Amino acid sequence: MNKIQQAPLSQHDPLMAPKIKPQDVNKAAEQFEAIFLRNLMKQMRETNAVFESKDDPMNSESRRMMQSMFDDTLCNQLAHDHGIGLAAMIVKQLTRHSHT
């Protein structure tokens, strides 16, 4: 009846798979670090919000929106400028075996 076709060898053998470019690994690691920093900042802001006064005129939705945009920009820039070193550790871990 119907024969099951086997996938080419390149789909089973990691040595035959397409090579990942170093700049792609760097970019992915940088983006991961930015996401990590963004989540860290979000948690810190939420913790700090517990102590904010509800009567404070500076405690508004527009301020929180601007602060969120600032946090996003800050986290992206920190990750791009090697922030806390998380991206570098990820790159080192992922490329460690590619040089052997």
Side-chain angles (χ1 to χ4, degrees):
M1 313 283 170
N2 290 339
K3 290 186 176 183
I4 299 174
Q5 293 182 351
Q6 288 190 341
L9 181 62
S10 63
Q11 290 182 359
H12 297 292
D13 186 2
L15 296 175
M16 299 298 290
K19 300 295 181 209
I20 298 173
K21 298 174 186 170
Q23 63 265 26
D24 292 341
V25 173
N26 290 335
K27 186 68 174 169
E30 182 181 301
Q31 290 172 349
F32 180 83
E33 183 171 350
I35 291 168
F36 176 81
L37 289 170
R38 197 170 297 118
N39 285 330
L40 184 66
M41 288 291 288
K42 181 181 175 189
Q43 291 300 316
M44 291 178 1
R45 296 281 186 204
E46 286 176 6
T47 301
N48 197 36
V50 172
F51 301 108
E52 290 179 355
S53 171
K54 303 298 180 206
D55 298 330
D56 184 3
M58 296 300 288
N59 188 8
S60 67
E61 185 62 34
S62 58
R63 181 194 62 85
R64 284 189 291 276
M65 183 180 70
M66 291 300 291
Q67 193 170 45
S68 176
M69 291 169 42
F70 171 77
D71 289 349
D72 284 346
T73 303
L74 176 64
C75 292
N76 288 336
Q77 190 62 44
L78 281 171
H80 181 71
D81 293 338
H82 310 293
I84 60 174
L86 185 60
M89 288 189 291
I90 292 170
V91 169
K92 183 178 178 182
Q93 182 71 27
L94 292 176
T95 59
R96 175 174 50 177
H97 300 291
S98 67
H99 298 297
T100 58

